[in-house]
Amino acid sequence: MVKIENLSYISELIDTYGNLLTKKQLKYIDLYYFNDYSLIEISKEYNVSKNAIYDSITKSIDNLKNIDSKLNLINKKNIRLKLYKKIENDSLRKKLEELE
């Protein structure tokens, strides 16, 4: 069972860097993490060994984590989102003060 926090992070990795993976790698990850397929079910569907599926998924996620550790785009995006929310809240607060 995949933890929600891990699933959220994997989803962010895929959204940010998924274009760097092959279609097959993306499909395996999608089936395993987001469609709740087991490694055995994926291996049967693609006629590949369970170990090959596991290796592909693990290496793909590790590569995306490595890329993110170097580029840090997910963290930068999250910082920007927090700043946008703060600006939005500050702006809203000023408007409310004007109305009072």
Side-chain angles (χ1 to χ4, degrees):
M1 186 78 174
V2 180
K3 292 183 181 177
I4 295 295
E5 304 84 33
N6 195 25
L7 189 59
S8 176
Y9 179 58
I10 289 170
S11 180
E12 282 189 296
L13 286 172
I14 297 300
D15 288 346
T16 306
Y17 308 108
N19 290 336
L20 301 174
L21 298 176
T22 66
K23 288 180 182 181
K24 192 175 281 190
Q25 289 170 321
L26 281 172
K27 189 63 180 173
Y28 292 165
I29 290 169
D30 180 59
L31 290 172
Y32 184 72
Y33 285 106
F34 306 113
N35 290 297
D36 206 27
Y37 276 54
S38 70
L39 295 174
I40 293 172
E41 290 171 321
I42 300 169
S43 68
K44 285 180 181 177
E45 186 167 323
Y46 287 91
N47 201 25
V48 180
S49 75
K50 178 182 154 189
N51 286 341
I53 300 295
Y54 175 80
D55 288 343
S56 175
I57 292 171
T58 304
K59 287 177 184 177
S60 298
I61 297 298
D62 287 346
N63 285 339
L64 295 181
K65 287 178 181 178
N66 186 34
I67 291 166
D68 187 53
S69 73
K70 292 177 179 162
L71 297 178
N72 204 22
L73 295 179
I74 292 174
N75 188 46
K76 290 175 184 177
K77 178 191 74 166
N78 290 334
I79 290 170
R80 279 194 310 278
L81 288 174
K82 286 179 186 176
L83 288 172
Y84 293 149
K85 284 184 181 183
K86 183 180 179 340
I87 290 168
E88 186 177 274
N89 288 340
D90 290 346
S91 175
L92 185 59
R93 191 173 302 120
K94 286 179 185 177
K95 288 179 183 179
L96 286 173
E97 288 172 0
E98 288 174 10
L99 288 174
E100 290 179 349

